[in-house]
């Protein structure tokens, strides 16, 4: 499975709902899913071609600031 730079992955746990913004491309070994720190799998949303990366980055920052830790 490829994890591409610029993607946002969403945690499937409704009590967590955290999301990560991929800042560097990487590859997950063995075809396993990316996992959140809570242990739930993370899913890759549909990404439109020509996505405005500035908008995504701004949104990611807002979500980071809003997430309770
Ligand atoms: Zn989670």
């Amino acid at each position: 499975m490829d994890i591409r730079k610029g993607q946002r992955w969403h945690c499937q746990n409704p009590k967590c709902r955290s999301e990560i913004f991929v800042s560097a491309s990487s590859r997950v070994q063995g075809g396993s899913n990316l996992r959140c720190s809570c242990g739930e799998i993370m899913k890759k949303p549909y990404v439109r071609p020509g996505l405005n990366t500035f908008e995504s980055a701004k949104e990611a920052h807002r979500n980071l600031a809003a997430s309770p830790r």
Side-chain angles (χ1 to χ4, degrees), residues 2-21:
D2 284 320
I3 300 173
R4 297 255 168 88
K5 185 178 177 180
Q7 287 177 335
R8 283 193 300 161
W9 289 64
H10 297 261
C11 179
Q12 298 300 291
N13 182 353
K15 289 178 183 161
C16 174
R17 300 184 69 181
S18 65
E19 64 177 48
I20 59 164
F21 181 78

Side-chain angles (χ1 to χ4, degrees), residues 2 4 9 19-20 23-24 27 32 35-37 39-40 47-49 58 62 64-66 68-69:
D2 284 320
R4 297 255 168 88
W9 289 64
E19 64 177 48
I20 59 164
S23 55
R27 182 174 276 272
S32 60
R35 283 191 184 267
C36 178
S37 52
E40 189 60 83
V47 179
R48 265 178 299 157
K58 199 169 60 179
R62 193 182 64 213
L64 271 178
R69 280 192 188 272

